[in-house]
Amino acid sequence: MPRTIGDADHEEYTTSTDVRADVLVVGAGLSGLVAAATAYAAGKSVAIVDQEPEASVGGQAQWSFGGLFMVDTPEQRRLGVRDSPGLALSDWMASAAFDRSHDATAREWAEAYVDFASGEKRAWLRSLNVGIFPLVQWAERGGYGPQGHGNTVPRFHVVWGTGPALVDPFLAKVMEGVDAGRVSLHFRHRALSLTMAAGRVTGVSGEILEPSTAARGQASNRLPVGGFHAQAGAVVVTTGGIGGNHAAVRRQWPGSSAPEYMLSGVPASVDGEFLPAVESVGAALINGDRMWHYPEGIHNYDPVWPAHGIRILPGPSSLWLDAEGRQLPAPLFPGFDSLGALRHITGKGHGYSWFVLNRTIALKELALSGSEQNPDLTGKDVRLLATRLRPSADTPIQRFLDRGVDFIQASSPAALASRMNHLTGRPLINASALEELIHARDRQVESGLGKDPQLAAIRAARRFATDKLMRVAPPHRIADPAHGPMIAIRLSVVTRKSLGGLATDLRSRVLDAEGQPIPGLYAAGEAAGFGGGGIHGYRALEGTFLGGCLFTGRTAGRDAAATV
């Protein structure tokens, strides 16, 4: 078994004031580990610096659900899904809606990434012993016609073992390098500035922070106890986005209309504070207003970091209402258009909305994002996985139903409305209007046909095997006592990912404002907008973030190693 990070002595990793290597990686998240492992495999010496304690190695990927965007895979074909690189690229471009002059490089990254996701990605991961759960999921379904946003077919492949299983092979390679004396890890080293000589980036300088016993994801202190300087032939910036820094999110929010209250879907360490330091040496930091936050956030009843939010991954059957009880318009059904729903909800002047459903829909359709909320997939536990088909009294969703502050249950629409108003302290939900809406929807179900586009979408979804088996309940009356009680879930905006970042060329070299590479400087992962400073444009197709870390991290590691 390869040695893991936890086997090492803490002191070994936290006291270096002078760091030297061929390749220096700033950030120990997934893209940083991939870049470091790649450069080490190419025969180079590598140093990794990170402001967090060693417990947080792997960054956000350790918390992730492990979804990967892949195209025309055996998993899809076994489920009868007909996909192709051309169809995937068409969906990507329609969703990205590139419209800025500096989007040209992002377009090239998108084309390269779809080619990667259609070709070597799956085989490469299998060579690293990364398995894929056989039931492909259908995220971001769109609904705006054949040339609009969304995945035409299911492409969301879940790693067997979720995010941690994706981190493991790269961390193992890095630890192999540590044992060989060619990789050094320096936690609690907070990079503050880049150093340059003769127009070339030659390293970073920063603070050594006080040792911290913070567990993975917990906020750690920022108390400096010394300084450090790191020198290298090439520097790879993999410091992530800004989702844990609400002040930065608010500054960059389009139209300055961020909700007054938001949850954090990422730890506080995802602060984006090193990005201005990179910009100060001439790097182009672009598309800051393009962000990917979710409207379906709930408070974690057992929080790890400040304002810890969990995203609900919904099936299509819940009624989605704004804060005043009005149903969101088509096609803003659960799981169809995250950004469109977010814009609609916040555009009404509120930062929250509601799902209205019943117990049958909740247990069948609601999943939770994150490795810790999916112990069956994360633990590769087939017996536990079977409970998704036969929901028991002890599932993650049931625990939120029992303990989550955002979950309300009642036997009638009137009682539900009363409790919704009590939870928010605002009498915005009209009981009669809510009852009328639920009954109108239920009459559509009883008709067997109907004119409701949401019910048409539900019936269409159940033609896909994964949805019918484990994600979409058969249409039934929400108010039917046999499927009760009725449930309302308050949904808050939860911050997550930056779609903009440092502009990079197809070699992951950081570009200046004129589009010229800055010698010795690379960026990967979310810090690079997952490639080109904005590979996703305005909207993402989901499953593209972890894959973006893999693709850009490998590209940066390869090129950095080849140039030193």
Side-chain angles (χ1 to χ4, degrees), residues 23-199:
V23 177
L24 173 67
V25 178
V26 185
L30 178 59
S31 57
L33 293 176
V34 174
T38 302
Y40 160 68
K44 303 302 178 180
S45 63
V46 180
I48 302 175
V49 298
D50 194 286
Q51 68 183 4
E52 294 308 302
E54 63 193 59
S56 288
V57 70
Q60 295 181 63
Q62 284 282 1
W63 297 98
S64 76
F65 189 38
L68 294 172
F69 175 95
M70 290 194 286
V71 178
D72 192 23
T73 64
E75 288 80 14
Q76 288 175 299
R77 292 192 289 271
R78 280 194 291 268
L79 293 168
V81 174
R82 295 191 292 271
D83 201 3
S84 70
L87 181 62
L89 185 60
S90 175
D91 284 349
W92 191 296
M93 294 302 180
S95 297
F98 293 122
D99 62 357
R100 296 174 179 174
S101 59
H102 56 234
D103 283 337
T105 305
R107 285 177 177 271
E108 294 177 349
W109 270 102
E111 292 170 358
Y113 183 76
V114 171
D115 183 66
F116 170 66
S118 306
E120 66 174 311
K121 182 178 184 179
R122 183 179 180 277
W124 177 49
L125 291 174
R126 286 181 64 84
S127 75
L128 298 171
N129 294 316
V130 175
I132 301 297
F133 184 61
L135 297 179
V136 183
Q137 309 288 309
W138 199 347
E140 286 295 302
R141 303 178 189 223
Y144 297 96
Q147 294 181 305
H149 163 66
N151 285 294
T152 299
V153 298
R155 299 189 175 105
F156 191 85
H157 297 67
V158 178
V159 171
W160 184 234
T162 65
L166 194 58
V167 172
D168 283 347
F170 303 103
L171 180 56
K173 192 68 174 179
V174 166
M175 296 310 298
E176 175 191 307
V178 171
D179 288 337
R182 296 205 347 252
V183 176
S184 60
L185 300 171
H186 308 274
F187 296 103
R188 303 301 284 157
H189 282 55
R190 185 187 188 197
L192 296 176
S193 62
L194 291 163
T195 56
M196 299 190 72

Side-chain angles (χ1 to χ4, degrees), residues 320-323 326-330 332-333 340-342 344-345 353-354:
W320 200 344
L321 314 182
D322 67 19
R326 296 180 293 252
Q327 186 175 11
L328 272 60
L332 301 182
F333 312 131
L342 179 68
H344 182 88
I345 292 161
S353 60
W354 299 94

